[in-house]
Amino acid sequence: MTARAIRPPARWLALGVVAAMAGAIALELVREARYPRDTVAEAVLYFPPGRAVTRLALSYDALLADVYWIRALQHFGSTRLKKDLGEKTYALLDPLLTITTTLDPQFNVAYRFGAIFLSEAPPGGPGRPDQAIALLQRGLEAKPGHWRYMQDIGFVYYWWLGDYRKAAEWFNRGADQPGAPWWMRSLAANTLAQGGDRRASRALWQSLAQTPDNDWLQRDARRRLQQLDALDAIDELNARVRRYREAGGGQPFTWEALVRAGLLRETPQDPTGTPYELGPYSGEVTVSPESSLTPMPTEPPRIAPQP
Amino acid sequence: MTGTIGRIAVNVFRESVRDKVLYNLVAFAVLMIGASVLIGQLSAGQEVKIIKDLGLASMSVFGLFMAVFIGIGLVAKEVERRSIYALLAKPITRTELLLGKYAGLVLTLVVNLAIMTAAFYAVLAWMNWQASEGLRKSWEAPALDPALLKAIWLVLVQLMIVTAVALLFSTFSSPMLSAALTFGLYVVGHFNADLRNFESVVSSRAVAWVARGLYYLLPNFAPLDVKAQVVHGTPVPLGYLALTTGYALLYIAALLTLAAWIFSRRDFK
């Protein structure tokens, strides 16, 4: 028998490869369905937070930092999309960001975005401004004198903790750094004078919207400004609903009632073009759950007026 | 002597091409192009940073595998195929043979890295062209930053040391053991900054001195890694490049001299 005669036909070999691969994939699917594993928890287990991480990474620490950055983004995004509120714990966000910034201490965006993610109130985020501040302070250890991190720390104190004295302190500290813009000083002054006032909040977000650091930061700041515009509009709409009731119209169940009464020209829409909702029983105006502005922020408490 | 070394080097390069070693370039190109398309969706505006990190790390990894796996076979293959007898019967010295083999692998690595660098810059040019003016302003360093060449140069220098280490081990040990020892030394070379400060963790002065001695004896790869600095736009002075390159060239000279000494005494009967 010649060697050619005993060689199996190529199509049988190809079929064998396809069959074996299909079988392997089928078994993998069955295993995933029967014994699901928490993939993100596994991802964290690859490396414990700490300096040892950089040693284990040899000279590939920057690339590993990118991998952990993407994991942090995926964890934040996927947790945010979960329907079950009990699952929205964001428990791995801080460890993932810590690993990212330990691997690459110069990873500017990981500090800045990370702080935004960490301080975002539930259910949109873990509501951990303390961790956000700690992250930014680690950024300052890596880049001492980086006024943007100081601005961000001041911002967390202002917006999420309502501690205007601390916020102003950080804005002032940022203003003292070489290259800091002139408006940092007025930001500090405004914060002390009108903390919690919507105008002061708007000035704060406008300063972030002008940041050239990143498109994403600018987009987020613009969205926050739209939310503030929506809050202004809601105040105005609530006033018109009250006027309707005081004029003897009773509880308006729909916007049409206010349009017919001449209090509105048309169904009011938020800055994204989604109609506002009018609570049929409470009469309270809110942003629609369908709007991209949802969830709306809880405004920080207003500073007590000076006597 | 230079002519003989050059001819051997060219032959090693041709053999690498015949062995389809440069096929790794296809993998590199696919990786870079695939990543540049996918990363944009995942990285929240960090695609250029990630592509730079990925490109530089890939050059280093692909080069490392080439340096180790070809390096350990340079001498071993000739011995295994018994072609070493024919080679040594020719009017060339063992040192010339060894240096020629080394130069040939370095030439392969240079060509490989040069093509990878061209592909790397092509992908970055495409990303630069696609980005808006605002996005470009937000980058810590421009996409087509010439400073990336500094990191690539030090990757090459690092690979030249690894090749010399692999060649040294291959003069007296089996290919498998040579590969294990070379990889081991590569890892140790990234950790050996710890040896320098060993006295802060041990009380014995003798142990501390041995550790300090090992620090100077073992290759120090950590200073040859400036990938992260370059990607973040941190300046890498030319003086630094000159010093690290000088260190590497002298270290390579020591390794090759040792390899030539061992090889010249090896009995192939």
Side-chain angles (χ1 to χ4, degrees):
Chain A
M1 190 184 273
T2 63
R4 190 180 169 79
I6 58 167
R7 192 189 295 162
R11 63 172 178 274
W12 285 109
L13 283 176
L15 202 66
V17 170
V18 172
M21 276 310 294
I25 293 166
L27 283 179
E28 181 75 352
L29 289 172
V30 172
R31 201 267 307 146
E32 276 173 9
R34 287 196 188 168
Y35 310 103
R37 298 174 76 176
D38 188 344
T39 49
V40 184
E42 261 179 70
V44 172
L45 285 176
Y46 289 143
F47 280 120
R51 289 257 169 238
V53 169
T54 49
R55 297 299 169 85
L56 292 171
L58 298 179
S59 69
Y60 306 107
D61 39 6
L63 183 66
L64 266 178
D66 297 338
V67 171
Y68 274 85
W69 169 239
I70 291 173
R71 282 183 179 160
L73 288 175
Q74 286 177 333
H75 173 62
F76 181 71
S78 60
T79 310
R80 217 175 151 135
L81 289 175
K82 280 179 181 166
K83 297 271 182 244
D84 180 1
L85 286 182
E87 287 182 2
K88 289 198 175 196
T89 58
Y90 303 91
L92 297 171
L93 187 58
D94 187 48
L96 286 167
L97 289 167
T98 304
I99 295 172
T100 305
T101 50
T102 307
L103 282 163
D104 186 353
Q106 303 291 316
F107 205 151
N108 180 39
V109 165
Y111 294 111
R112 301 201 69 199
F113 284 23
I116 292 174
F117 297 162
L118 284 167
S119 37
E120 182 86 39
R128 293 297 303 267
D130 55 327
Q131 290 179 344
I133 291 168
L135 179 71
L136 288 163
Q137 277 176 332
R138 285 201 298 277
L140 280 174
E141 280 169 28
K143 275 189 183 176
H146 193 60
W147 64 268
R148 284 274 184 213
Y149 297 160
M150 296 177 191
Q151 181 196 11
D152 291 345
I153 294 176
F155 179 80
V156 174
Y157 273 116
Y158 180 99
W159 188 256
W160 300 109
L161 294 170
D163 187 341
Y164 307 124
R165 193 183 54 79
K166 277 267 190 195
E169 200 179 296
W170 277 100
F171 291 143
N172 268 326
R173 206 185 286 190
D176 290 339
Q177 305 307 315
W182 60 269
W183 46 256
M184 281 284 278
R185 194 76 67 195
S186 47
L187 205 61
N190 268 350
T191 299
L192 274 180
Q194 331 160 344
D197 183 89
R198 209 171 279 161
R199 272 174 308 174
S201 301
R202 186 168 274 121
L204 203 63
W205 282 115
Q206 266 161 352
S207 73
L208 278 174
Q210 284 157 11
T211 181
D213 265 20
N214 195 283
D215 266 6
W216 190 91
L217 274 180
Q218 289 176 347
R219 274 204 306 274
D220 187 56
R222 280 197 291 268
R223 179 172 165 269
R224 298 292 187 177
L225 285 168
Q226 285 185 331
Q227 286 179 328
L228 290 175
D229 290 342
L231 285 171
D232 281 347
I234 287 171
D235 286 350
E236 175 60 28
L237 289 169
N238 276 327
R240 291 186 190 204
V241 170
R242 266 197 310 277
R243 234 183 296 158
Y244 179 87
R245 274 199 297 256
E246 282 160 12
Q251 181 64 37
F253 291 104
T254 60
W255 289 117
E256 280 70 38
L258 274 86
V259 173
R260 278 198 301 273
L263 288 165
L264 288 174
R265 277 197 207 149
E266 57 190 353
T267 301
Q269 294 179 345
D270 71 22
T272 67
T274 314
Y276 286 104
E277 291 211 340
L278 178 62
Y281 301 106
S282 64
E284 282 295 309
V285 182
T286 55
V287 164
S288 162
E290 307 300 319
S291 171
S292 61
L293 298 181
T294 305
M296 289 289 279
T298 311
E299 286 186 282
R302 285 187 186 210
I303 206 163
Q306 299 293 315
Chain B
M1 185 176 175
T2 325
T4 313
I5 294 172
R7 279 191 290 278
I8 297 170
V10 170
N11 274 321
V12 171
F13 176 69
R14 281 188 189 143
E15 198 179 336
S16 304
V17 175
R18 267 202 305 274
D19 286 347
K20 300 177 175 59
V21 166
L22 297 180
Y23 272 23
N24 79 91
L25 293 169
V26 178
F28 178 78
V30 170
L31 182 72
M32 292 304 296
I33 294 165
S36 62
V37 173
L38 291 174
I39 296 282
Q41 319 292 320
L42 300 169
S43 62
Q46 295 305 293
E47 48 269 34
V48 165
K49 177 199 181 294
I50 293 178
I51 286 295
K52 283 182 180 177
D53 286 337
L54 185 65
L56 293 173
S58 309
M59 285 183 198
S60 169
V61 171
F62 282 98
L64 176 68
F65 280 95
M66 279 175 70
V68 174
F69 289 111
I70 304 175
I72 56 164
L74 286 176
V75 174
K77 252 162 76 177
E78 302 290 359
V79 176
E80 201 178 289
R81 293 190 304 212
R82 313 261 178 225
S83 50
I84 190 86
Y85 301 114
L87 273 170
L88 294 179
K90 289 186 169 36
I92 53 169
T93 64
R94 290 190 182 195
T95 304
E96 283 172 337
L97 177 65
L98 204 72
L99 292 180
K101 293 275 186 188
Y102 177 76
L105 182 46
V106 169
L107 178 65
T108 311
L109 289 170
V110 168
V111 170
N112 197 56
L113 270 181
I115 299 171
M116 280 184 180
T117 304
F120 181 47
Y121 270 101
V123 170
L124 287 172
W126 179 69
M127 294 180 91
N128 189 53
W129 177 69
Q130 283 217 317
S132 64
E133 189 59 35
L135 188 60
R136 264 184 236 144
K137 274 187 194 158
S138 74
W139 293 336
E140 285 173 298
L144 297 168
D145 190 359
L148 290 168
L149 293 172
K150 291 179 182 173
I152 296 170
W153 167 253
L154 288 185
V155 166
L156 174 67
V157 169
Q158 197 172 20
L159 295 176
M160 283 165 68
I161 300 181
V162 174
T163 307
V165 171
L167 190 63
L168 170 66
F169 286 132
S170 76
T171 56
F172 63 86
S173 102
S174 67
M176 280 304 288
L177 191 60
S178 299
L181 289 170
T182 310
F183 273 121
L185 214 57
Y186 178 77
V187 173
V188 169
H190 281 96
F191 280 92
N192 76 349
D194 297 334
L195 292 171
R196 195 170 189 273
N197 305 314
F198 222 56
E199 58 259 37
S200 57
V201 282
V202 292
S203 52
S204 163
R205 280 184 72 82
V207 173
W209 276 106
V210 169
R212 180 62 72 97
L214 283 172
Y215 167 73
Y216 288 112
L217 201 63
L218 295 169
N220 194 358
F221 288 123
L224 298 172
D225 175 29
V226 293
K227 297 195 286 285
Q229 287 97 305
V230 162
V231 170
H232 287 300
T234 310
V236 179
L238 286 176
Y240 181 88
L241 283 186
L243 281 174
T244 44
T245 305
Y247 160 80
L249 292 178
L250 288 174
Y251 200 90
I252 291 165
L255 288 171
L256 292 180
T257 309
L258 188 60
W261 183 74
I262 295 170
F263 192 56
S264 66
R265 273 154 188 75
R266 193 165 164 188
D267 190 358
F268 290 108
K269 279 179 192 167

